[in-house]
Amino acid sequence: MNVSADASFGPQLEGQFDFTLLFEQSIFSIGPSALFLVVAPVRVAVLASRKPGAWKTARSKRLWSKLACLTVLFILQVVVLVLWSLPATPHTEISVAAASLSLVEILAMGCLVWAEHRYSPSPSMTLSIYLSVTILLDLSIVRSLFLRSDLVALGGITAGTLALKLFILALEEVPKKNSTGSKVSEEVSSGLWSRSVFWWLLTTFRKGFNSFLGIDDLSTLAGDSQLHSPSLISRLGHKWQLADKSARYCLACAAFRAFQSIFWAGVIPRLCFTGFSFAQPFLINTIVNSLGASTHQDSHQVAGGLVGATALIYVGIALSKCHYTHCANRLIVAVRGGLVALIFDKAIALDASTAKDSAAVTLMSTDIDGIASALQKIHDIWASFIELGLAIFLLERQIGSACFLILIPAMVSSFATGRVARGMGPARMEWNSKV
């Protein structure tokens, strides 16, 4: 091990296709651990504040299996800490700190696992995301340790912790069972990766392949507090009562306040989609430069790294688009359900003569369909401003000030769209009046 080289932040180890240990321990270890230690207590507090009896999972072998794995993981991490603390072990100035923080992180994982298993119908999204990210980061750390002959023992133990994390992640994907016997939506009881590939729809697909689907064949929404009908009308009705009816866009603002949690759930996946999409030019540029460069000692490692980066980027694009599109569809369902319930609640409160002349049926069909179609691109609208700025910045690095010429068609098209949009509202109102 080159102690002086690994003691620098890097990030690349001089003369090697590898990161420095200081970079990996600070960014790949301490960074995620610190973030998890901030998020985990908040999530546990949220779970602890839930009403007793709202959801309760019986103690099961799966819970004890998770806790047993975390216990073994804790023991292995203690061994890692001891090895880093030995004077004979080459280490950086933060090696012991990173290992110590990982111990505290495992304790937080245990608390989170117990709380999520007992009081949440869903597998822990927080834990699943954290484990998925750290498994990828730990792969790089394990590789770096094995490349250093005097840290092979640490590499082996770290590989063991990596395998345990993978097993815990697999256990977290298994749906839970409510001790009260009530049914729960398959989507709610599915884990992160099951939702990512829509594995929870497999039962519906099988039924549809073998026979005609009926209403009873579709999954229930029980347990999904965000889409449950009483919850939708309660939240939207409350925000609508508090809204200033004379204000412009008061209904849109009330709907956003009522269902903002569903909206914000799609923001991070949409930002990830932007990041992965804009990583493609850098990847292609690196691949082209690598193909044109002369062969050297690390050529095979560079090629392997590029293959891994390609897989990571395009899998990331697929998964992030899947998640933010799914969040947009959930928002559409919530807005549609809330508005229909609100309109129906208002309609039944009217007297017979007024209700006869009301346009409630029109509002519950054409108007809401128009709102739903507009919401399909809700995450693309705000993200387009970020992507435009990033595109101009990246283009400026290649062609200089000429990059600002792309603003001309963007401004012209925006102006034209705005002019056309002015007539869409009155035209839709006239259309709805004839329905």
Side-chain angles (χ1 to χ4, degrees), residues 34 47 80 95 106 132 140 142 158 221 321 335 367 381 383 402 428:
L47 292 171
V80 170
S95 296
I106 295 171
S132 300
S140 176
V142 170
T158 307
L221 289 177
K321 185 173 184 179
V335 171
D367 278 357
I381 293 173
R428 179 172 286 276

Side-chain angles (χ1 to χ4, degrees), residues 145-333:
L145 293 175
F146 275 117
L147 288 177
R148 292 155 176 80
S149 58
D150 42 4
L151 297 178
V152 173
L154 272 167
I157 298 174
T158 307
T161 63
L162 175 62
L164 276 174
K165 287 183 179 180
L166 189 60
F167 186 66
I168 295 171
L169 179 61
L171 289 176
E172 200 62 37
E173 288 294 308
V174 180
K176 305 174 186 177
K177 292 183 179 180
N178 193 351
S179 60
T180 61
S182 58
K183 293 184 178 180
V184 181
S185 167
E186 292 183 9
E187 180 183 359
V188 171
S189 61
S190 298
L192 172 67
W193 289 99
S194 178
R195 294 191 188 190
S196 298
V197 298
F198 293 101
W199 189 260
W200 57 276
L201 289 173
L202 183 61
T203 303
T204 305
F205 289 153
R206 284 176 177 171
K207 290 180 180 178
F209 181 79
N210 295 321
S211 61
F212 291 104
L213 286 175
I215 298 297
D216 295 335
D217 295 323
L218 301 180
S219 175
T220 178
L221 289 177
D224 194 339
S225 59
Q226 291 184 330
L227 299 183
H228 200 218
S229 295
S231 174
L232 296 179
I233 181 59
S234 174
R235 284 184 288 168
L236 183 57
H238 175 67
K239 297 300 180 182
W240 178 242
Q241 289 178 357
L242 298 177
D244 181 8
K245 308 300 189 298
S246 62
R248 197 177 185 185
Y249 309 123
C250 57
L251 180 59
C253 293
F256 176 78
R257 295 189 186 100
F259 308 123
Q260 60 178 316
S261 61
I262 306 177
F263 171 81
W264 292 117
V267 170
I268 293 180
R270 187 60 181 84
L271 291 175
C272 291
F273 178 79
T274 298
F276 285 123
S277 298
F278 277 85
Q280 293 179 89
F282 295 98
L283 174 66
I284 295 173
N285 185 51
T286 304
I287 292 175
V288 171
N289 292 336
S290 178
L291 292 175
S294 58
T295 304
H296 50 84
Q297 183 180 358
D298 296 331
S299 295
H300 293 293
Q301 295 182 355
V302 172
L306 290 175
V307 170
T310 303
L312 178 63
I313 288 174
Y314 287 103
V315 171
I317 288 175
L319 294 180
S320 57
K321 185 173 184 179
C322 158
H323 277 285
Y324 89 77
T325 305
H326 183 52
C327 289
N329 289 331
R330 286 176 61 86
L331 180 62
I332 291 172
V333 173

